[in-house]
Amino acid sequence: MTLLEVRDLRTWFEGDAETVRAVDGVSFSVGEGEVVGLVGESGCGKTVTALSILGLVPEPPGRIQEGSSIRLGGRELVGASARELRSIRGRRVGMIFQEPMSSLNPVYTVGEQIGEALRLHRGVRRREARRLSVDLLDEVGIPEPGRRRTQYPHELSGGMRQRVMIAMTLAAEPELLIADEPTTALDVTTQAQILGLLDRLRSSRGMAMLLITHDLAVVAERCRRVLVMRHGRIVEEGSVEAIFREPRHPYTRYLVYAAMSPAAGAGSPPAGSEGDVP
Amino acid sequence: MSPVQEGEPLVRVRGLQKHFPLRSGWPWQKRETLRAVDGVSFDLKRGETLGLVGESGCGKSTTARALLRLVEPTAGEIHFDGRDIMEMAPGELRRFRRRAQIVFQDPFSSLNPRMQVGTALAEVLTVHGVAADAAERRQRVRRLLERVELAPHLAERHPHELSGGQRQRVGIARALAVEPELLVLDEPVSALDVPVRRQILGLVRNLQREFGLTCLFIAHDLSVVEKVSDRVAVMYLGRIVELAPAPVIFSRPAHPYTRALLAATPRLESGRRTEARGPVLEGDVPSPVSPPSGCPFHPRCPHPERDDECRLVVPRLEAKGKTWRVACIKVTTSPDARS
Ligand SMILES: Nc1ncnc2c1ncn2[C@@H]1O[C@H](COP(=O)(O)OP(=O)(O)OP(=O)(O)O)[C@@H](O)[C@H]1O
Ligand SMILES: Nc1ncnc2c1ncn2[C@@H]1O[C@H](COP(=O)(O)OP(=O)(O)OP(=O)(O)O)[C@@H](O)[C@H]1O
Ligand code: SF4
Ligand SMILES: [Mg+2]
Ligand SMILES: [Mg+2]
């Protein structure tokens, strides 16, 4: 069953001087319990695609253009009322944001923030919320969750903040999770733990996931299907196996090459492939 | 790698500690402290890149902030170019603030949300008197954006009008604007895809070659650290447990923690991750509020000779070879002697 269906999504930012066509004709779908990877270079429109689905594009200057369609479980979200979008956000569609500090509230402790998500989306009582928030922090690999619960975001390390935000998003038990670079601040061990947790939630609760990342290694391991985006459009789509075996678009070829070489951080690409990426 | 100069180091850190007092739940409870950094010593030689690695929460960012005098150390000394940074007078401090720059882990926190990024960069140039006039400022801003692979028209955007990776690069451009001598990079390329990442790392290497820039480079991606660092310091629970030239750390690590950390790093082959090469570290990172006695790593240490002594003796970071230091009482041989 299709859970999310995006058709010809175009999200533009109309400024005084320029119109930025951040997303310019994107179509894809995510099935129930399916994990789809979304990759592409910096600035290609991945985050704006995600924000469009959640109804979080700042309007103005942003605007989802006429003819775009985003359907969640058959319900059209483009043009839906602010109230309806609010009821979908968190509860049905959860998002792990790329920059944790932008979505954590500096004046509440992390326990209060996770507790709030639990009460709001799952109707959990205060005392129960406290216990569950400690469990959630533990599940995302925060040591000493009981103590960390009482700290403010600025008192945590970068990697801890990222995990707190993941815990907060998962507290709502969304049907669809949009994870925007969810593990960039984490070492491999913790990263594996988080991705494993997301996997378990997929199989136990059928949670679907749109996984945005620039790390093709993560995609290879966690997704069946992958979308490659460039300049606001999807330039390639297919199974992970097919894309690794036979990447068609030059940018995909380059990403695959980079992911396979051991020191992907700074090595040189094979002769000939560099010129493919303008 | 880069022309590292021997002689007096640019930065000398000795016995650095940063403890944060925690709020206690009740007034009658004892106030506890969190030992974020707990006795760190190292040098940054002129022109070198020192990689700083370790698990989340081990104190990397706190060490970085202390180096820039952004947090006040609980104890210890930091000398920059021979001067104690905590003793600098206002004029000297202003010069220090130009000579030493940091790229923060969270780019949002360092950018003014109300200012177009081009204007913000120009302002940094004005404050530090780097450019002579408006024309030169404009020229420099354009050049800076170019160097970090940002299109010139992005200068007119506010930080929230950029993508995550674009924002991260503005942070880097901002730090480079004043041509610093010391650059602290805290996870500088985590949000960037491989092509852009290569460009940025190449840029940093060029600055080292041309101007002898000194770097402290923090990253959790060990393959990146391996590529850019001359030496690597491995941190665990607020302390450095091993410090050696990068090739030594990556091919012949000696400290049991470094070994475990490297063994847990999988490699990717034909689209699938290979199994990690060694045991994944067992157990949680101990609490920085009540760290274990003796060697802080002893509760998780897989070393076959680990014994009661480890629980009692605090290992010091000792020289075991010419360029190699390790904090473990069970490591005796020099890496030059090992194969
Ligand atoms: N509020 C805005 N006003 C104008 N342009 C914007 C705005 N928000 C984003 N953009 C532009 O839209 C494009 C797509 O941005 P988006 O954040 O989706 O990129 P991304 O694919 O997530 O990149 P990254 O990997 O760097 O996070 C970028 O060029 C960005 O500069
Ligand atoms: N202002 C603060 N108040 C209280 N505790 C703090 C504060 N800043 C940092 N800490 C604590 O100090 C410890 C070290 O944090 P630091 O940010 O230096 O870690 P890190 O090594 O950079 O981790 P990461 O890789 O996750 O970014 C953590 O336990 C953190 O919670
Ligand atoms: S001192 Fe003992 S516990 Fe610590 S790392 Fe060495 S062997 Fe392990
Ligand atoms: Mg993004
Ligand atoms: Mg950090």
Side-chain angles (χ1 to χ4, degrees), chain A residues 41-42 99 101 144 147 150 163 184 186 214 220 251 254 259, chain B residues 23 32 56 106 157 167 169 190 193 195 198 220 268 271-272 287:
Chain A
E41 67 187 342
S42 177
E99 281 149 305
M101 275 318 244
E144 299 187 273
R147 178 176 271 137
T150 64
R163 283 174 282 167
T184 46
L186 305 177
H214 59 260
Y251 182 71
Y254 183 67
Chain B
R23 287 173 313 281
E32 296 177 309
S56 176
D106 181 359
R157 303 264 186 90
R167 240 183 327 262
R169 282 174 280 163
S190 60
D193 58 354
R198 268 189 40 222
H220 63 269
L268 193 83
R272 292 282 159 208
S287 168

PDB file of all heavy atoms in Angstrom, chain A residues 41-42 99 101 144 147 150 163 184 186 214 220 251 254 259, chain B residues 23 32 56 106 157 167 169 190 193 195 198 220 268 271-272 287:
ATOM      1  N   GLU A  41      23.442  16.180  -4.046  1.00  0.00           N
ATOM      2  CA  GLU A  41      24.449  17.119  -3.578  1.00  0.00           C
ATOM      3  C   GLU A  41      23.833  18.223  -2.723  1.00  0.00           C
ATOM      4  O   GLU A  41      22.625  18.443  -2.743  1.00  0.00           O
ATOM      5  CB  GLU A  41      25.188  17.718  -4.773  1.00  0.00           C
ATOM      6  CG  GLU A  41      24.294  18.590  -5.621  1.00  0.00           C
ATOM      7  CD  GLU A  41      24.989  19.039  -6.893  1.00  0.00           C
ATOM      8  OE1 GLU A  41      26.219  18.979  -6.959  1.00  0.00           O
ATOM      9  OE2 GLU A  41      24.285  19.455  -7.813  1.00  0.00           O
ATOM     10  N   SER A  42      24.717  18.911  -2.025  1.00  0.00           N
ATOM     11  CA  SER A  42      24.293  19.995  -1.152  1.00  0.00           C
ATOM     12  C   SER A  42      23.522  21.045  -1.948  1.00  0.00           C
ATOM     13  O   SER A  42      23.970  21.490  -2.994  1.00  0.00           O
ATOM     14  CB  SER A  42      25.536  20.611  -0.510  1.00  0.00           C
ATOM     15  OG  SER A  42      25.178  21.697   0.292  1.00  0.00           O
ATOM     16  N   GLU A  99      19.568  20.065  11.477  1.00  0.00           N
ATOM     17  CA  GLU A  99      20.308  20.781  12.510  1.00  0.00           C
ATOM     18  C   GLU A  99      19.531  20.742  13.821  1.00  0.00           C
ATOM     19  O   GLU A  99      18.545  21.445  13.984  1.00  0.00           O
ATOM     20  CB  GLU A  99      20.567  22.225  12.080  1.00  0.00           C
ATOM     21  CG  GLU A  99      21.715  22.315  11.100  1.00  0.00           C
ATOM     22  CD  GLU A  99      21.560  23.458  10.121  1.00  0.00           C
ATOM     23  OE1 GLU A  99      20.533  23.538   9.443  1.00  0.00           O
ATOM     24  OE2 GLU A  99      22.472  24.272  10.034  1.00  0.00           O
ATOM     25  N   MET A 101      19.792  21.912  16.815  1.00  0.00           N
ATOM     26  CA  MET A 101      19.522  23.104  17.609  1.00  0.00           C
ATOM     27  C   MET A 101      18.362  23.914  17.049  1.00  0.00           C
ATOM     28  O   MET A 101      17.716  24.651  17.773  1.00  0.00           O
ATOM     29  CB  MET A 101      20.766  23.979  17.709  1.00  0.00           C
ATOM     30  CG  MET A 101      21.701  23.576  18.833  1.00  0.00           C
ATOM     31  SD  MET A 101      20.879  23.154  20.358  1.00  0.00           S
ATOM     32  CE  MET A 101      21.494  24.444  21.424  1.00  0.00           C
ATOM     33  N   GLU A 144      23.396   7.447  30.936  1.00  0.00           N
ATOM     34  CA  GLU A 144      22.791   8.117  32.092  1.00  0.00           C
ATOM     35  C   GLU A 144      21.544   8.913  31.733  1.00  0.00           C
ATOM     36  O   GLU A 144      21.456  10.119  32.005  1.00  0.00           O
ATOM     37  CB  GLU A 144      23.773   9.109  32.708  1.00  0.00           C
ATOM     38  CG  GLU A 144      25.050   8.506  33.228  1.00  0.00           C
ATOM     39  CD  GLU A 144      25.840   9.566  33.960  1.00  0.00           C
ATOM     40  OE1 GLU A 144      26.607  10.294  33.314  1.00  0.00           O
ATOM     41  OE2 GLU A 144      25.657   9.685  35.179  1.00  0.00           O
ATOM     42  N   ARG A 147      19.869  11.310  34.330  1.00  0.00           N
ATOM     43  CA  ARG A 147      20.528  12.576  34.603  1.00  0.00           C
ATOM     44  C   ARG A 147      20.402  13.522  33.406  1.00  0.00           C
ATOM     45  O   ARG A 147      20.133  14.704  33.554  1.00  0.00           O
ATOM     46  CB  ARG A 147      21.990  12.318  34.930  1.00  0.00           C
ATOM     47  CG  ARG A 147      22.773  13.555  35.183  1.00  0.00           C
ATOM     48  CD  ARG A 147      24.193  13.227  35.595  1.00  0.00           C
ATOM     49  NE  ARG A 147      24.330  13.055  37.033  1.00  0.00           N
ATOM     50  CZ  ARG A 147      25.036  12.081  37.613  1.00  0.00           C
ATOM     51  NH1 ARG A 147      25.632  11.188  36.876  1.00  0.00           N
ATOM     52  NH2 ARG A 147      25.142  12.010  38.917  1.00  0.00           N
ATOM     53  N   THR A 150      17.379  15.919  32.735  1.00  0.00           N
ATOM     54  CA  THR A 150      17.192  17.193  33.424  1.00  0.00           C
ATOM     55  C   THR A 150      18.080  18.302  32.850  1.00  0.00           C
ATOM     56  O   THR A 150      18.111  19.401  33.377  1.00  0.00           O
ATOM     57  CB  THR A 150      17.529  17.045  34.920  1.00  0.00           C
ATOM     58  OG1 THR A 150      18.930  16.732  35.033  1.00  0.00           O
ATOM     59  CG2 THR A 150      16.737  15.912  35.555  1.00  0.00           C
ATOM     60  N   ARG A 163      20.742  12.960  19.100  1.00  0.00           N
ATOM     61  CA  ARG A 163      19.999  11.793  19.565  1.00  0.00           C
ATOM     62  C   ARG A 163      18.751  12.178  20.356  1.00  0.00           C
ATOM     63  O   ARG A 163      17.737  11.502  20.307  1.00  0.00           O
ATOM     64  CB  ARG A 163      20.916  10.887  20.384  1.00  0.00           C
ATOM     65  CG  ARG A 163      21.844  10.088  19.462  1.00  0.00           C
ATOM     66  CD  ARG A 163      22.858   9.309  20.225  1.00  0.00           C
ATOM     67  NE  ARG A 163      23.942  10.170  20.691  1.00  0.00           N
ATOM     68  CZ  ARG A 163      24.838   9.809  21.582  1.00  0.00           C
ATOM     69  NH1 ARG A 163      24.772   8.624  22.132  1.00  0.00           N
ATOM     70  NH2 ARG A 163      25.797  10.634  21.924  1.00  0.00           N
ATOM     71  N   THR A 184      24.669  12.535  11.174  1.00  0.00           N
ATOM     72  CA  THR A 184      25.911  13.216  10.775  1.00  0.00           C
ATOM     73  C   THR A 184      26.844  13.498  11.940  1.00  0.00           C
ATOM     74  O   THR A 184      28.044  13.590  11.733  1.00  0.00           O
ATOM     75  CB  THR A 184      25.615  14.573  10.111  1.00  0.00           C
ATOM     76  OG1 THR A 184      24.649  15.236  10.901  1.00  0.00           O
ATOM     77  CG2 THR A 184      25.119  14.402   8.696  1.00  0.00           C
ATOM     78  N   LEU A 186      27.334  11.604  14.533  1.00  0.00           N
ATOM     79  CA  LEU A 186      27.556  10.407  15.345  1.00  0.00           C
ATOM     80  C   LEU A 186      28.663   9.511  14.788  1.00  0.00           C
ATOM     81  O   LEU A 186      28.810   9.370  13.584  1.00  0.00           O
ATOM     82  CB  LEU A 186      26.254   9.610  15.430  1.00  0.00           C
ATOM     83  CG  LEU A 186      25.047  10.405  15.940  1.00  0.00           C
ATOM     84  CD1 LEU A 186      23.801   9.551  15.912  1.00  0.00           C
ATOM     85  CD2 LEU A 186      25.306  10.931  17.334  1.00  0.00           C
ATOM     86  N   HIS A 214      23.796  12.112   2.615  1.00  0.00           N
ATOM     87  CA  HIS A 214      24.774  12.165   1.528  1.00  0.00           C
ATOM     88  C   HIS A 214      25.691  10.947   1.612  1.00  0.00           C
ATOM     89  O   HIS A 214      26.623  10.806   0.853  1.00  0.00           O
ATOM     90  CB  HIS A 214      25.580  13.463   1.580  1.00  0.00           C
ATOM     91  CG  HIS A 214      26.327  13.619   2.879  1.00  0.00           C
ATOM     92  ND1 HIS A 214      25.867  14.417   3.896  1.00  0.00           N
ATOM     93  CD2 HIS A 214      27.456  13.071   3.323  1.00  0.00           C
ATOM     94  CE1 HIS A 214      26.684  14.340   4.913  1.00  0.00           C
ATOM     95  NE2 HIS A 214      27.668  13.525   4.602  1.00  0.00           N
ATOM     96  N   ALA A 220      23.069   2.117   1.219  1.00  0.00           N
ATOM     97  CA  ALA A 220      23.292   0.747   0.761  1.00  0.00           C
ATOM     98  C   ALA A 220      22.836  -0.251   1.809  1.00  0.00           C
ATOM     99  O   ALA A 220      22.286  -1.298   1.513  1.00  0.00           O
ATOM    100  CB  ALA A 220      24.770   0.544   0.452  1.00  0.00           C
ATOM    101  N   TYR A 251      26.383  11.965 -11.734  1.00  0.00           N
ATOM    102  CA  TYR A 251      26.501  12.298 -10.322  1.00  0.00           C
ATOM    103  C   TYR A 251      26.361  11.048  -9.452  1.00  0.00           C
ATOM    104  O   TYR A 251      27.080  10.873  -8.482  1.00  0.00           O
ATOM    105  CB  TYR A 251      25.448  13.339  -9.917  1.00  0.00           C
ATOM    106  CG  TYR A 251      25.585  13.735  -8.471  1.00  0.00           C
ATOM    107  CD1 TYR A 251      26.663  14.516  -8.052  1.00  0.00           C
ATOM    108  CD2 TYR A 251      24.690  13.284  -7.516  1.00  0.00           C
ATOM    109  CE1 TYR A 251      26.826  14.848  -6.729  1.00  0.00           C
ATOM    110  CE2 TYR A 251      24.844  13.611  -6.186  1.00  0.00           C
ATOM    111  CZ  TYR A 251      25.916  14.397  -5.797  1.00  0.00           C
ATOM    112  OH  TYR A 251      26.074  14.722  -4.472  1.00  0.00           O
ATOM    113  N   TYR A 254      29.506   9.086  -9.514  1.00  0.00           N
ATOM    114  CA  TYR A 254      30.520   9.653  -8.658  1.00  0.00           C
ATOM    115  C   TYR A 254      30.266   9.294  -7.185  1.00  0.00           C
ATOM    116  O   TYR A 254      31.187   8.914  -6.463  1.00  0.00           O
ATOM    117  CB  TYR A 254      30.568  11.170  -8.839  1.00  0.00           C
ATOM    118  CG  TYR A 254      31.659  11.775  -8.008  1.00  0.00           C
ATOM    119  CD1 TYR A 254      32.995  11.499  -8.309  1.00  0.00           C
ATOM    120  CD2 TYR A 254      31.374  12.556  -6.905  1.00  0.00           C
ATOM    121  CE1 TYR A 254      34.007  12.010  -7.531  1.00  0.00           C
ATOM    122  CE2 TYR A 254      32.376  13.068  -6.128  1.00  0.00           C
ATOM    123  CZ  TYR A 254      33.687  12.796  -6.443  1.00  0.00           C
ATOM    124  OH  TYR A 254      34.690  13.297  -5.663  1.00  0.00           O
ATOM    125  N   ALA A 259      31.624   6.208  -2.344  1.00  0.00           N
ATOM    126  CA  ALA A 259      31.202   5.372  -1.227  1.00  0.00           C
ATOM    127  C   ALA A 259      32.008   4.078  -1.158  1.00  0.00           C
ATOM    128  O   ALA A 259      32.205   3.516  -0.092  1.00  0.00           O
ATOM    129  CB  ALA A 259      29.716   5.052  -1.343  1.00  0.00           C
TER     130      ALA A 259
ATOM    131  N   ARG B  23      23.105  21.292  38.183  1.00  0.00           N
ATOM    132  CA  ARG B  23      22.050  21.695  39.116  1.00  0.00           C
ATOM    133  C   ARG B  23      21.620  20.454  39.878  1.00  0.00           C
ATOM    134  O   ARG B  23      21.421  19.400  39.301  1.00  0.00           O
ATOM    135  CB  ARG B  23      20.840  22.231  38.356  1.00  0.00           C
ATOM    136  CG  ARG B  23      21.028  23.591  37.746  1.00  0.00           C
ATOM    137  CD  ARG B  23      19.825  23.908  36.884  1.00  0.00           C
ATOM    138  NE  ARG B  23      19.490  22.780  36.027  1.00  0.00           N
ATOM    139  CZ  ARG B  23      20.124  22.485  34.914  1.00  0.00           C
ATOM    140  NH1 ARG B  23      21.129  23.235  34.510  1.00  0.00           N
ATOM    141  NH2 ARG B  23      19.779  21.445  34.197  1.00  0.00           N
ATOM    142  N   GLU B  32      26.861  18.171  42.171  1.00  0.00           N
ATOM    143  CA  GLU B  32      27.852  17.345  41.487  1.00  0.00           C
ATOM    144  C   GLU B  32      28.502  18.138  40.360  1.00  0.00           C
ATOM    145  O   GLU B  32      27.974  19.158  39.927  1.00  0.00           O
ATOM    146  CB  GLU B  32      27.168  16.110  40.894  1.00  0.00           C
ATOM    147  CG  GLU B  32      26.576  15.204  41.952  1.00  0.00           C
ATOM    148  CD  GLU B  32      25.846  14.036  41.318  1.00  0.00           C
ATOM    149  OE1 GLU B  32      25.010  14.267  40.433  1.00  0.00           O
ATOM    150  OE2 GLU B  32      26.133  12.896  41.710  1.00  0.00           O
ATOM    151  N   SER B  56      31.191  10.334  21.139  1.00  0.00           N
ATOM    152  CA  SER B  56      30.335  11.473  21.456  1.00  0.00           C
ATOM    153  C   SER B  56      30.354  11.765  22.947  1.00  0.00           C
ATOM    154  O   SER B  56      30.205  10.870  23.767  1.00  0.00           O
ATOM    155  CB  SER B  56      28.915  11.154  20.997  1.00  0.00           C
ATOM    156  OG  SER B  56      28.038  12.186  21.360  1.00  0.00           O
ATOM    157  N   ASP B 106      27.798  23.367  15.120  1.00  0.00           N
ATOM    158  CA  ASP B 106      26.453  23.765  14.747  1.00  0.00           C
ATOM    159  C   ASP B 106      26.525  25.127  14.052  1.00  0.00           C
ATOM    160  O   ASP B 106      26.665  26.148  14.703  1.00  0.00           O
ATOM    161  CB  ASP B 106      25.613  23.857  16.031  1.00  0.00           C
ATOM    162  CG  ASP B 106      24.185  24.246  15.741  1.00  0.00           C
ATOM    163  OD1 ASP B 106      23.844  24.472  14.566  1.00  0.00           O
ATOM    164  OD2 ASP B 106      23.414  24.334  16.703  1.00  0.00           O
ATOM    165  N   ARG B 157      21.672  36.087   0.592  1.00  0.00           N
ATOM    166  CA  ARG B 157      20.720  35.309   1.396  1.00  0.00           C
ATOM    167  C   ARG B 157      20.999  35.465   2.884  1.00  0.00           C
ATOM    168  O   ARG B 157      22.129  35.705   3.300  1.00  0.00           O
ATOM    169  CB  ARG B 157      20.840  33.825   1.051  1.00  0.00           C
ATOM    170  CG  ARG B 157      20.628  33.491  -0.405  1.00  0.00           C
ATOM    171  CD  ARG B 157      19.210  33.052  -0.660  1.00  0.00           C
ATOM    172  NE  ARG B 157      19.079  32.597  -2.039  1.00  0.00           N
ATOM    173  CZ  ARG B 157      19.268  31.346  -2.431  1.00  0.00           C
ATOM    174  NH1 ARG B 157      19.615  30.428  -1.548  1.00  0.00           N
ATOM    175  NH2 ARG B 157      19.114  31.014  -3.688  1.00  0.00           N
ATOM    176  N   ARG B 167      25.092  26.422   4.618  1.00  0.00           N
ATOM    177  CA  ARG B 167      25.331  27.137   5.865  1.00  0.00           C
ATOM    178  C   ARG B 167      26.655  26.728   6.493  1.00  0.00           C
ATOM    179  O   ARG B 167      27.408  27.549   6.990  1.00  0.00           O
ATOM    180  CB  ARG B 167      24.195  26.817   6.848  1.00  0.00           C
ATOM    181  CG  ARG B 167      23.444  28.006   7.272  1.00  0.00           C
ATOM    182  CD  ARG B 167      22.375  27.762   8.280  1.00  0.00           C
ATOM    183  NE  ARG B 167      21.688  26.511   8.231  1.00  0.00           N
ATOM    184  CZ  ARG B 167      20.505  26.321   7.655  1.00  0.00           C
ATOM    185  NH1 ARG B 167      19.882  27.309   7.060  1.00  0.00           N
ATOM    186  NH2 ARG B 167      19.931  25.140   7.686  1.00  0.00           N
ATOM    187  N   ARG B 169      29.246  25.773   4.983  1.00  0.00           N
ATOM    188  CA  ARG B 169      30.341  26.393   4.235  1.00  0.00           C
ATOM    189  C   ARG B 169      30.467  27.881   4.517  1.00  0.00           C
ATOM    190  O   ARG B 169      31.559  28.437   4.474  1.00  0.00           O
ATOM    191  CB  ARG B 169      30.147  26.123   2.740  1.00  0.00           C
ATOM    192  CG  ARG B 169      30.586  24.700   2.384  1.00  0.00           C
ATOM    193  CD  ARG B 169      30.274  24.357   0.971  1.00  0.00           C
ATOM    194  NE  ARG B 169      28.879  23.981   0.816  1.00  0.00           N
ATOM    195  CZ  ARG B 169      28.252  23.938  -0.356  1.00  0.00           C
ATOM    196  NH1 ARG B 169      28.890  24.297  -1.451  1.00  0.00           N
ATOM    197  NH2 ARG B 169      26.996  23.553  -0.410  1.00  0.00           N
ATOM    198  N   SER B 190      30.697  17.516   8.146  1.00  0.00           N
ATOM    199  CA  SER B 190      29.729  16.451   8.391  1.00  0.00           C
ATOM    200  C   SER B 190      28.486  16.565   7.508  1.00  0.00           C
ATOM    201  O   SER B 190      27.880  15.572   7.144  1.00  0.00           O
ATOM    202  CB  SER B 190      29.321  16.448   9.863  1.00  0.00           C
ATOM    203  OG  SER B 190      28.740  17.683  10.192  1.00  0.00           O
ATOM    204  N   ASP B 193      28.448  16.611   1.041  1.00  0.00           N
ATOM    205  CA  ASP B 193      28.629  15.414   0.233  1.00  0.00           C
ATOM    206  C   ASP B 193      30.083  15.343  -0.243  1.00  0.00           C
ATOM    207  O   ASP B 193      30.856  16.297  -0.095  1.00  0.00           O
ATOM    208  CB  ASP B 193      27.635  15.357  -0.927  1.00  0.00           C
ATOM    209  CG  ASP B 193      27.744  16.571  -1.817  1.00  0.00           C
ATOM    210  OD1 ASP B 193      28.495  17.491  -1.474  1.00  0.00           O
ATOM    211  OD2 ASP B 193      27.096  16.592  -2.871  1.00  0.00           O
ATOM    212  N   PRO B 195      31.950  15.377  -3.056  1.00  0.00           N
ATOM    213  CA  PRO B 195      32.675  16.333  -3.903  1.00  0.00           C
ATOM    214  C   PRO B 195      32.994  17.635  -3.172  1.00  0.00           C
ATOM    215  O   PRO B 195      34.128  18.132  -3.235  1.00  0.00           O
ATOM    216  CB  PRO B 195      31.707  16.586  -5.063  1.00  0.00           C
ATOM    217  CG  PRO B 195      30.784  15.429  -5.087  1.00  0.00           C
ATOM    218  CD  PRO B 195      30.671  14.964  -3.675  1.00  0.00           C
ATOM    219  N   ARG B 198      35.629  17.174  -0.476  1.00  0.00           N
ATOM    220  CA  ARG B 198      36.978  17.119  -1.036  1.00  0.00           C
ATOM    221  C   ARG B 198      37.515  18.509  -1.299  1.00  0.00           C
ATOM    222  O   ARG B 198      38.680  18.817  -1.027  1.00  0.00           O
ATOM    223  CB  ARG B 198      36.974  16.318  -2.341  1.00  0.00           C
ATOM    224  CG  ARG B 198      37.265  14.859  -2.140  1.00  0.00           C
ATOM    225  CD  ARG B 198      37.469  14.168  -3.481  1.00  0.00           C
ATOM    226  NE  ARG B 198      38.220  14.965  -4.407  1.00  0.00           N
ATOM    227  CZ  ARG B 198      37.929  15.095  -5.704  1.00  0.00           C
ATOM    228  NH1 ARG B 198      36.890  14.484  -6.208  1.00  0.00           N
ATOM    229  NH2 ARG B 198      38.675  15.833  -6.482  1.00  0.00           N
ATOM    230  N   HIS B 220      34.237  12.780  13.592  1.00  0.00           N
ATOM    231  CA  HIS B 220      33.991  11.402  14.008  1.00  0.00           C
ATOM    232  C   HIS B 220      34.247  10.453  12.848  1.00  0.00           C
ATOM    233  O   HIS B 220      34.281   9.254  13.024  1.00  0.00           O
ATOM    234  CB  HIS B 220      32.573  11.252  14.533  1.00  0.00           C
ATOM    235  CG  HIS B 220      31.553  11.535  13.487  1.00  0.00           C
ATOM    236  ND1 HIS B 220      31.023  12.783  13.291  1.00  0.00           N
ATOM    237  CD2 HIS B 220      31.032  10.751  12.541  1.00  0.00           C
ATOM    238  CE1 HIS B 220      30.199  12.734  12.285  1.00  0.00           C
ATOM    239  NE2 HIS B 220      30.181  11.527  11.798  1.00  0.00           N
ATOM    240  N   LEU B 268      33.483  -0.241   3.464  1.00  0.00           N
ATOM    241  CA  LEU B 268      32.417  -0.533   2.524  1.00  0.00           C
ATOM    242  C   LEU B 268      33.000  -1.193   1.286  1.00  0.00           C
ATOM    243  O   LEU B 268      33.940  -0.708   0.694  1.00  0.00           O
ATOM    244  CB  LEU B 268      31.726   0.766   2.127  1.00  0.00           C
ATOM    245  CG  LEU B 268      30.408   0.578   1.394  1.00  0.00           C
ATOM    246  CD1 LEU B 268      29.297   0.350   2.390  1.00  0.00           C
ATOM    247  CD2 LEU B 268      30.110   1.776   0.542  1.00  0.00           C
ATOM    248  N   GLY B 271      29.212  -2.033  -2.138  1.00  0.00           N
ATOM    249  CA  GLY B 271      27.895  -1.566  -1.733  1.00  0.00           C
ATOM    250  C   GLY B 271      27.403  -2.132  -0.418  1.00  0.00           C
ATOM    251  O   GLY B 271      26.370  -1.736   0.092  1.00  0.00           O
ATOM    252  N   ARG B 272      28.112  -3.056   0.166  1.00  0.00           N
ATOM    253  CA  ARG B 272      27.696  -3.595   1.465  1.00  0.00           C
ATOM    254  C   ARG B 272      28.813  -3.373   2.456  1.00  0.00           C
ATOM    255  O   ARG B 272      29.988  -3.507   2.121  1.00  0.00           O
ATOM    256  CB  ARG B 272      27.410  -5.099   1.363  1.00  0.00           C
ATOM    257  CG  ARG B 272      26.193  -5.419   0.536  1.00  0.00           C
ATOM    258  CD  ARG B 272      24.919  -5.167   1.336  1.00  0.00           C
ATOM    259  NE  ARG B 272      23.796  -4.996   0.426  1.00  0.00           N
ATOM    260  CZ  ARG B 272      22.708  -4.270   0.713  1.00  0.00           C
ATOM    261  NH1 ARG B 272      22.625  -3.641   1.845  1.00  0.00           N
ATOM    262  NH2 ARG B 272      21.734  -4.168  -0.151  1.00  0.00           N
ATOM    263  N   SER B 287      30.116   7.488  33.350  1.00  0.00           N
ATOM    264  CA  SER B 287      29.646   8.835  33.631  1.00  0.00           C
ATOM    265  C   SER B 287      30.803   9.808  33.837  1.00  0.00           C
ATOM    266  O   SER B 287      31.712   9.545  34.619  1.00  0.00           O
ATOM    267  CB  SER B 287      28.796   8.805  34.894  1.00  0.00           C
ATOM    268  OG  SER B 287      28.574  10.123  35.329  1.00  0.00           O
TER     269      SER B 287
END
